[in-house]
Amino acid sequence: MTAVAVEPRLTELADADLESLLLIRHFEQRLLELFSAGLLHGTTHTCLGQEYVAVAISGLLTDADHVFSNHRGHGHYLARFADPEGLLAEIMGREGGVCHGVGGSQHLYREGYLSTGVQGESLPLAAGVAMKLKRTGHGGLSCVYIGDGTWGEGAVYEALNLIALHALPVLVVVEHNGIAQSTPTARQMAGTIAGRAAAFGVAHRRIDSVDVAAIRTELAPLVEQVRTGHRPLVVEFATHRIGPHSKGDDTRTDEEIARVRAADWLPRYRRDHPEQTARLEPAVWARMDAVAGEVSARPQSTWERSA
């Protein structure tokens, strides 16, 4: 008989960390509901299934650090600022949006935070900011989130060259979910991310776990080396996107979707820590209900009205 592998029990988190994870999950689910109801325009890219990456990394960052996000960045923003009101208002074009309703889902700016929908654009910007941080002795680092598909952009390699050449404090977080929009990674990437980082002499660490506490324990000393020792690092998360690429365009088969849903961290955490989850999750649901209702009732952003 073949032994059946048993998944290890996930570490119980502090309430604040679990609340952050749940907030991101329910924010993203609410966005898809609002789109389905015809209450949002444009497009959006949810991070369903990948929430633990942003929460784990955010716990290792300080206020002195800068975060550069991408088109799938709601979780990065919420893990950093816990501001669903401002983010939803921005996406809905309502008053009180992070960027007055002109940035939408993908293009956000806030002190120490920038996201863009242009693949690969954030890495050169992160390199430039990291150079300033190093020269001024600021003590911070640039944390930039990219996906596996972004490794097809030349700007990534130009930036890595500068980062390695000048020993810049840059933490590159790769959310490798195995699919670039609709193309499986195996059909669009030769070699490995580790090999590409090694070509520039940049350290690489792969993370297969979804255990936030374990991830932080493993990465904490490495992130500190990035910040104080100016030793850039590529951290590759083997993760899963359980939602569509955008608001509804999922080209995967039912079997593929079932496989990635089976790897979702949330059912595991509910199973491993039912009392804590049952205590906190209803409150997060209620908060998102209140946020969605209140933001939907706001007038359009003045930027929208003046257009």
Side-chain angles (χ1 to χ4, degrees), residues 55-62 65 141 215-217 219-220 223 227:
V55 173
I57 292 295
S58 184
L60 298 173
L61 302 180
T62 71
D65 299 328
L141 60 77
I215 292 167
R216 286 180 181 164
T217 298
L219 292 182
V223 172
R227 182 181 290 108

Side-chain angles (χ1 to χ4, degrees), residues 209-220:
S209 174
V210 299
D211 190 311
V212 170
I215 292 167
R216 286 180 181 164
T217 298
E218 180 175 351
L219 292 182

Side-chain angles (χ1 to χ4, degrees), residues 30-86:
R30 181 51 58 92
L31 274 189
L32 294 180
E33 292 170 4
L34 290 170
F35 266 115
S36 296
L39 298 176
L40 297 183
H41 303 287
T43 190
T44 194
H45 304 79
T46 64
C47 66
L48 294 166
Q50 301 178 187
E51 300 91 344
Y52 68 94
V53 176
V55 173
I57 292 295
S58 184
L60 298 173
L61 302 180
T62 71
D63 291 341
D65 299 328
H66 291 247
V67 174
F68 295 85
S69 183
N70 53 42
H71 65 294
R72 199 177 304 282
H74 305 152
H76 309 151
Y77 179 86
L78 292 173
R80 182 74 167 173
F81 298 113
D83 175 33
E85 296 86 357

Side-chain angles (χ1 to χ4, degrees), residues 24 27 41 49 51-53 79 99 102 113 136 154 162 166 176 265 271 282 299 301:
I24 298 169
F27 182 94
H41 303 287
E51 300 91 344
Y52 68 94
V53 176
C99 296
V102 299
Y113 183 95
T136 59
L162 291 172
H166 296 284
H176 189 163
W265 65 269
R271 180 195 66 208
S301 166

